[in-house]
């Protein structure tokens, strides 16, 4: 019917717009790309407003267009044919991403890009016990999450969180494909009221939480949390007299509200000291 023709037409136009039509400028590059290295994301404006996909307007139509694009490209490009193993299998530098943002029923914004690998030390990250091998290796744009948005909401009825800030940390873990393991120790600088500390505890990791103000009472009673009342900028995990454990930790996270240069100096101190 006319709706299917419209979807086919939009798919054809999208393919041409990114240079993948006959004689297109991107054809040769993608033809040489590894099997399964192309991800195609269906996007709609509601996603960027926090609306669940099940309720997002036009998402079903956007997904239908992407499905048509995928079926068309599979004929010519091995990159569009599925491969197991996610971005880890294709390699961060070899990942390609096509994004289709449906603006209304008849218009879409489309892009095609070769993703940039953003992990500076793949060998170290690959040996990390908390690595999700299927998504290992951050890319920009994010290859394995549509618009880089991860479903990180925790049911506040069954598992109340001290604050909503945990979403930022969880989304970072999902995007990078890494997270703390239960055997690892973490430091949370500027921890109050404890959103990030509780997020870390959900992985089973032990946490040293540093802040001038106390955490949520539940976390203050948690045997897996060591609270240090003090200045997050001067805390050292090597200083046993002031709450440190005397050895480097696996993770340092921080949601401190401060001027960028102070945060940069803090990172220089921790990275320079190999804490």
């Amino acid at each position: 019917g006319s709706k299917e023709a419209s979807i086919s037409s939009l798919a054809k136009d999208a393919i041409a717009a990114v240079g993948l039509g006959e004689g297109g400028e991107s054809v040769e590059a993608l033809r040489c790309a590894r099997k399964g290295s192309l991800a195609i994301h269906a996007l709609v404006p509601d996603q960027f407003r926090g609306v669940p996909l099940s309720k997002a307007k036009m998402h079903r139509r956007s997904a239908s267009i992407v499905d048509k694009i995928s079926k068309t490209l599979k004929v010519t490009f091995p990159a569009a044919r599925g491969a197991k193993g996610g971005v880890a299998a294709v390699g961060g530098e070899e990942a390609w991403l096509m994004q289709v943002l449906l603006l209304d029923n008849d218009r879409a914004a489309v892009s095609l890009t070769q993703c940039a690998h953003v992990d500076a030390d793949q060998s170290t990250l690959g040996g990390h016990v908390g690595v999700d091998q299927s998504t290992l290796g951050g890319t920009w744009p994010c290859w394995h999450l549509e618009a880089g948005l991860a479903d990180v909401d925790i049911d506040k009825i069954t598992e109340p969180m001290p604050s909503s800030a945990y979403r930022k940390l969880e989304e970072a873990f999902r995007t990078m494909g890494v997270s703390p393991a239960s055997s690892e120790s973490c430091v949370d600088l500027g921890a109050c009221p404890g959103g990030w500390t509780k997020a870390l505890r959900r992985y089973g990791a032990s946490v040293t939480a540093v802040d001038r103000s106390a955490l949520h009472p539940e976390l203050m009673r948690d045997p897996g949390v060591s609270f240090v009342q003090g200045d997050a900028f001067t805390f050292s995990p090597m200083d046993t007299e002031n709450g440190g454990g005397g050895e480097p930790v696996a993770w340092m996270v921080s949601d401190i509200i401060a001027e960028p240069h102070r945060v940069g100096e803090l990172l220089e101190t921790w990275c320079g000291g190999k804490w």
Side-chain angles (χ1 to χ4, degrees):
S2 59
K3 182 178 180 181
E4 179 61 34
S6 178
I7 287 173
S8 297
S9 176
L10 281 168
K12 182 179 180 180
D13 289 346
I15 290 170
V18 295
L20 292 178
E22 185 175 352
E25 58 186 14
S26 302
V27 169
E28 193 58 35
L30 195 63
R31 199 190 301 274
C32 297
R34 291 176 62 177
K35 180 180 178 181
S37 59
L38 174 66
I40 309 175
H41 292 174
L43 307 173
V44 291
D46 274 355
Q47 285 177 262
F48 303 94
R49 303 185 184 108
V51 178
L53 285 183
S54 60
K55 298 180 180 179
K57 295 177 182 178
M58 303 187 297
H59 186 261
R60 183 175 297 179
R61 182 173 178 80
S62 180
S64 296
I65 294 167
V66 163
D67 182 60
K68 182 65 176 179
I69 291 171
S70 178
K71 289 177 180 177
T72 302
L73 295 182
K74 283 177 181 178
V75 176
T76 305
F77 304 102
R81 301 167 195 160
K84 295 181 179 180
V87 72
V90 302
E93 293 89 347
E94 298 186 41
W96 286 77
L97 176 63
M98 183 174 179
Q99 298 179 98
V100 181
L101 173 61
L102 189 62
L103 301 173
D104 55 40
N105 281 338
D106 301 310
R107 294 186 306 139
V110 191
S111 68
L112 174 70
T113 185
Q114 187 170 7
C115 299
H117 191 53
V118 296
D119 172 33
D121 191 348
Q122 181 79 15
S123 60
T124 299
L125 189 59
H128 195 285
V129 294
V131 165
D132 175 357
Q133 294 293 337
S134 68
T135 60
L136 172 61
T139 63
W140 179 257
C142 186
W143 188 86
H144 65 281
L145 294 174
E146 291 185 353
L149 300 173
D151 183 9
V152 297
D153 284 338
I154 297 172
D155 191 323
K156 59 184 179 182
I157 303 299
T158 60
E159 190 175 2
M161 299 293 284
S163 72
S164 62
Y166 74 87
R167 293 187 178 97
K168 292 181 283 185
L169 187 60
E170 285 290 345
E171 190 162 79
F173 289 154
R174 305 285 180 86
T175 301
M176 295 187 296
V178 290
S179 59
S182 59
S183 60
E184 293 182 315
S185 57
C186 309
V187 168
D188 182 5
L189 299 178
C192 180
W196 282 27
T197 293
K198 186 163 183 179
L200 294 168
R201 287 294 294 137
R202 294 179 80 246
Y203 292 94
S206 59
V207 183
T208 298
V210 184
D211 205 296
R212 295 186 186 277
S213 302
L215 307 180
H216 187 278
E218 175 193 349
L219 293 170
M220 296 296 286
R221 296 190 296 267
D222 186 342
V225 176
S226 175
F227 175 66
V228 177
Q229 190 166 30
D231 186 353
F233 284 99
T234 60
F235 173 81
S236 165
M238 312 304 290
D239 186 357
T240 56
E241 294 185 2
N242 292 289
E247 60 184 10
V249 297
W251 293 82
M252 184 275 277
V253 301
S254 175
D255 198 20
I256 297 174
I257 300 175
E259 294 180 0
H261 75 88
R262 293 203 69 195
V263 176
E265 291 169 357
L266 180 65
L267 289 173
E268 287 181 4
T269 299
W270 277 75
C271 295
K274 297 183 179 180
W275 294 346

